[in-house]
Amino acid sequence: DAKTTQPPSMDCAEGRAANLPCNHSTISGNEYVYWYRQIHSQGPQYIIHGLKNNETNEMASLIITEDRKSSTLILPHATLRDTAVYYCSNRGSGAGSYQLTFGKGTKLSVIP
Amino acid sequence: DAGVIQSPRHEVTEMGQEVTLRCKPISGHNSLFWYRQTMMRGLELLIYFNNNVPIDDSGMPEDRFSAKMPNASFSTLKIQPSEPRDSAVYFCASSFGSSGQPQHFGDGTRLSIL
């Protein structure tokens, strides 16, 4: 069973920031928050991950609340190619913590 | 940089036939994962290899499924005999290490068993 909850769908205007929330209220201390996305007919694409601190890379920013019970993925300037299903997932860092599980994700539609 | 490469992209075969899916992980990655994705069950881990050794195969559905990793750059997932309920998208993923490192996925093999 997925340990995360996400809204089923969101719309975002092209060029605007897309903010995708994720609730992971049962996250444990050594679990990272991972974000992936899946475009139809392709494999899941890794976006970003973090433990406590906010993270930024060339694709997105990840904001994790201080209590770590939720996070937000930010795509700063959404394009049509960002239309996809976005998944957040918790995964530990210790030995044996390798299985990636996805919930139902958020279907993001970027609108021209 | 080359990502994870899977072949074939699509496979349609009749029930009872043997199916072999292939995966080339990212060079330098020492962990390899086979997943299956369906609408009903989502993403399921089938088997995990570390340094070419199977570590966890508890997700393999039954004896009809087998996986091998003869070297660091190649893995196969075989289904024999295949059944219609095996129809799914099969993904291979690789990572450097298994803990705390992101897994990178191939584009999958869409398998249809008639």
Side-chain angles (χ1 to χ4, degrees):
Chain A
D1 290 339
K3 298 180 287 185
T4 60
T5 55
Q6 300 174 252
S9 64
M10 291 181 63
D11 292 340
C12 178
E14 188 178 15
R16 304 297 293 270
N19 296 281
L20 294 100
C22 178
N23 181 293
H24 32 80
S25 57
T26 60
I27 193 171
S28 59
N30 69 344
E31 287 187 322
Y32 285 78
V33 179
Y34 285 83
W35 282 84
Y36 283 77
R37 71 182 182 186
Q38 192 167 18
I39 297 169
H40 184 60
S41 299
Q42 296 182 19
Q45 179 188 20
Y46 165 74
I47 301 173
I48 199 167
H49 74 290
L51 185 63
K52 294 181 184 178
N53 299 322
N54 299 336
E55 302 287 345
T56 295
N57 64 20
E58 65 279 3
M59 289 183 69
S61 294
L62 174 60
I63 308 297
I64 303 174
T65 58
E66 193 169 341
D67 63 7
R68 303 209 322 123
K69 293 183 185 300
S70 65
S71 62
T72 300
L73 178 75
I74 301 172
L75 307 178
H77 305 287
T79 71
L80 299 179
R81 289 182 298 177
D82 292 322
T83 292
V85 179
Y86 287 76
Y87 299 101
C88 69
S89 177
N90 300 354
R91 186 159 71 91
S93 59
S97 302
Y98 44 79
Q99 180 160 346
L100 197 60
T101 56
F102 292 154
K104 296 187 183 301
T106 296
K107 181 173 173 55
L108 175 68
S109 298
V110 180
I111 302 166
Chain B
D1 289 345
V4 175
I5 300 172
Q6 291 186 246
S7 64
R9 287 296 313 276
H10 304 275
E11 176 86 20
V12 180
T13 192
E14 292 188 345
M15 174 177 147
Q17 297 297 308
E18 178 179 292
V19 174
T20 300
L21 311 182
R22 297 173 177 80
C23 174
K24 177 179 169 57
I26 293 172
S27 177
H29 283 187
N30 62 347
S31 292
L32 185 139
F33 309 83
W34 282 99
Y35 287 89
R36 177 170 70 176
Q37 187 177 42
T38 61
M39 289 291 292
M40 291 295 293
R41 301 171 69 96
L43 192 70
E44 302 173 279
L45 176 66
L46 300 177
I47 188 168
Y48 154 53
F49 290 88
N50 185 252
N51 293 324
N52 311 339
V53 176
I55 303 299
D56 181 359
D57 65 355
S58 60
M60 295 286 263
E62 48 200 271
D63 292 346
R64 298 184 297 106
F65 285 67
S66 62
K68 293 182 180 180
M69 191 164 187
N71 57 61
S73 59
F74 184 66
S75 177
T76 59
L77 177 68
K78 186 175 293 187
I79 308 173
Q80 166 65 16
S82 57
E83 296 182 4
R85 61 191 166 124
D86 302 331
S87 297
V89 183
Y90 290 80
F91 290 108
C92 176
S94 70
S95 69
F96 180 69
S98 60
S99 303
Q101 295 297 318
Q103 297 171 23
H104 296 271
F105 287 74
D107 280 336
T109 295
R110 184 172 296 275
L111 178 63
S112 297
I113 308 296
L114 306 177

